[in-house]
Amino acid sequence: MAIVIGSNFGYTVLAAVGIAAQCFAAAMSVNGARKKYNVQFPDNGGGRYSDKLSDEDWVAFNNVKRASDNYLEQVGMVLVMLTMAGLYQPKLAASFGASYILGRFFYARGYVAAGAKGRIHGAPIMGLSFIALVITAAYNAFTTTILA
C-alpha cells in the first residue's frame, strides 16, 4: 500500500511546527535565566558560576533549565510519532500534537513556578497525548501490514 500524503497532512505539519517553536522558546527561556542569574556557559547549573548563587536562585535557575531539558529529551520521540501517526490520520495526529503542546505549556509553567511538584498539571496531558500518538502510529502500521 502506497502512502499518499494528502492536503490534510498540513495539520500534522502545523502541530510539528508548534512543537518545534515551543521547544525553541523553552531553550530561549534558559538563555534568559542565564542572564538573570549570571550563569555562564558551560555551566549547566552545577558548576562554578551556579555555586555563587543563593539557594533560592540556584533552584529557580535549575527549574527553568530542567523544564527545557525535559523537552529536549522527549521532542525527538514526539515528532517521530506525530509524523508516523499523521501519515495515515493527519487530523487525529494533529489534535494529539496540539494537546501535547497544551500539556507541555502547563508542565513548564508549573515546573518553573513550583519545581518538580508543579509539573503535575501538565504531565498527564502530555503523557496521554504521547501515548495516543504511539497507539495511533502502531495501529496504522498494524492495519497496513499484518491486516492488509
Side-chain angles (χ1 to χ4, degrees), residues 2-147:
I3 297 173
V4 177
I5 298 176
S7 60
N8 285 338
F9 189 72
Y11 292 107
T12 302
V13 175
L14 284 174
V17 169
I19 289 169
Q22 189 180 45
C23 188
F24 180 76
M28 291 298 99
S29 69
V30 175
N31 283 344
R34 283 186 180 282
K35 290 177 184 173
K36 179 178 180 179
Y37 299 109
N38 195 30
V39 178
Q40 304 300 315
F41 287 103
D43 194 329
N44 276 323
R48 292 182 182 197
Y49 290 106
S50 58
D51 283 346
K52 298 174 184 176
L53 298 176
S54 68
D55 287 347
E56 184 178 305
D57 286 350
W58 182 85
V59 168
F61 174 77
N62 277 282
N63 285 345
V64 174
K65 181 79 170 91
R66 187 65 205 124
S68 174
D69 286 352
N70 183 265
Y71 210 144
L72 293 171
E73 292 164 1
Q74 294 184 15
V75 71
M77 296 182 299
V78 171
L79 289 175
V80 168
M81 289 299 103
L82 176 66
T83 303
M84 295 299 103
L87 287 172
Y88 294 93
Q89 294 172 289
K91 288 184 178 180
L92 180 62
S95 69
F96 293 144
S99 65
Y100 183 86
I101 291 169
L102 181 67
R104 179 56 72 177
F105 172 79
F106 289 123
Y107 179 96
R109 186 173 171 181
Y111 207 122
V112 170
K117 292 179 183 176
R119 61 189 172 170
I120 191 67
H121 300 294
I125 299 169
M126 61 183 218
L128 290 172
S129 299
F130 178 69
I131 290 168
L133 286 170
V134 171
I135 290 169
T136 303
Y139 172 82
N140 293 334
F142 187 73
T143 58
T144 58
T145 57
I146 296 172
L147 296 180

